[in-house]
Amino acid sequence: MASDMKWRLVEEFGPRCFTEADDGRLLFMADYTDMDNLVSWLLTLGAEAEVLEPEEVRNRIRKIAGELEKIYRS
């Protein structure tokens, strides 16, 4: 996740929810109980975040991105 999203992670999950890589990117880790809420929240981050796992979440976001691309292509 881009380092300029640090404020948001701290505000929503607290200062211990991520680690910072040498290149400044943030590795955010949290548990979730509702897949739909998780995917919706991740989408609010736009291109500032990449989901590494679970694969199911990556696939759902990929599907939504494809559907959005079709809508906005023209």
Side-chain angles (χ1 to χ4, degrees), residues 2-24:
S3 62
D4 60 345
M5 299 304 289
K6 185 185 291 190
W7 70 269
R8 186 152 173 209
L9 293 178
V10 171
E11 181 116 343
E12 295 181 28
F13 294 94
R16 293 193 172 97
C17 70
F18 64 89
T19 57
E20 193 163 352
D22 291 339
D23 65 3

Side-chain angles (χ1 to χ4, degrees), residues 9-71:
L9 293 178
V10 171
E11 181 116 343
E12 295 181 28
F13 294 94
R16 293 193 172 97
C17 70
F18 64 89
T19 57
E20 193 163 352
D22 291 339
D23 65 3
R25 291 183 304 153
L26 308 175
L27 179 60
F28 168 70
M29 292 184 285
D31 293 325
Y32 64 94
T33 57
D34 183 283
M35 178 74 72
D36 290 333
N37 278 342
L38 172 65
V39 170
S40 293
W41 181 79
L42 288 166
L43 289 171
T44 69
L45 301 172
E48 297 296 318
E50 176 186 0
V51 175
L52 303 177
E53 57 183 54
E55 189 67 28
E56 179 183 0
V57 174
R58 286 180 61 90
N59 291 339
R60 285 183 68 175
I61 290 175
R62 185 180 299 113
K63 181 178 184 243
I64 291 167
E67 292 167 356
L68 289 169
E69 199 275 328
K70 287 177 190 174
I71 291 169

